[in-house]
């Protein structure tokens, strides 16, 4: 099984193959499915997955977004409105 970061890199290179349309909301849904599949298989979180959980707070701070009541879905929506492209979202992730 490839790592989460390897998977995100593949999505960045060919988003249509993995998530259909290159959008933050489609990426969000894909990551929800990924997380659920790992939980259903009883897999422990990898170091990369634990690190990725810190991405949302870092991004909120970087973009000066209000942290109260921001779930990842709302954050993704706000980010999509601010950045408008999946590649920008993934480039922020690479700078974490």
């Amino acid at each position: 099984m490839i790592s989460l970061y390897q998977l995100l890199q593949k999505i960045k290179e060919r988003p249509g193959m993995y998530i259909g349309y290159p959008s933050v909301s489609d990426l969000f849904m894909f990551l929800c499915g990924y997380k659920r599949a790992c939980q259903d298989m009883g897999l422990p979180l990898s170091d990369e997955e634990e690190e990725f959980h810190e991405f949302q707070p870092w991004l909120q701070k970087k973009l000066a977004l209000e942290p109260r009541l921001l779930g990842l879905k709302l954050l993704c929506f706000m980010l999509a409105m601010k950045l408008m492209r999946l590649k920008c979202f993934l480039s922020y992730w690479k700078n974490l």
Side-chain angles (χ1 to χ4, degrees):
M1 187 167 147
I2 67 173
S3 73
L4 176 61
Y5 289 172
Q6 289 171 327
L7 182 57
L8 287 172
Q9 183 61 39
K10 287 180 177 282
I11 292 170
K12 181 179 180 181
E13 292 167 3
R14 297 186 66 189
M17 188 169 128
Y18 293 91
I19 60 174
Y21 185 76
S23 74
V24 175
S25 60
D26 288 359
L27 177 62
F28 170 75
M29 294 310 298
F30 179 87
L31 291 173
C32 286
Y34 174 87
K35 182 179 178 183
R36 178 60 190 247
C38 290
Q39 288 173 340
D40 288 351
M41 292 188 302
L43 299 175
L45 287 178
S46 69
D47 291 340
E48 286 182 355
E49 290 164 343
E50 288 186 23
E51 181 182 74
F52 189 74
H53 284 295
E54 297 173 22
F55 177 62
Q56 179 182 345
W58 175 86
L59 189 60
Q60 284 176 237
K61 184 177 179 182
K62 178 87 174 167
L63 297 177
L65 297 174
E66 292 288 328
R68 65 181 173 191
L69 303 177
L70 277 183
L72 183 56
K73 188 171 184 178
L74 181 56
L75 174 63
C76 286
F77 172 75
M78 292 176 72
L79 180 60
M81 300 314 308
K82 216 168 196 182
L83 300 177
M84 300 302 285
R85 294 182 0 166
L86 176 65
K87 288 185 180 187
C88 290
F89 178 86
L90 290 172
S91 71
Y92 271 93
W93 160 71
K94 288 301 270 183
N95 290 316
L96 175 62

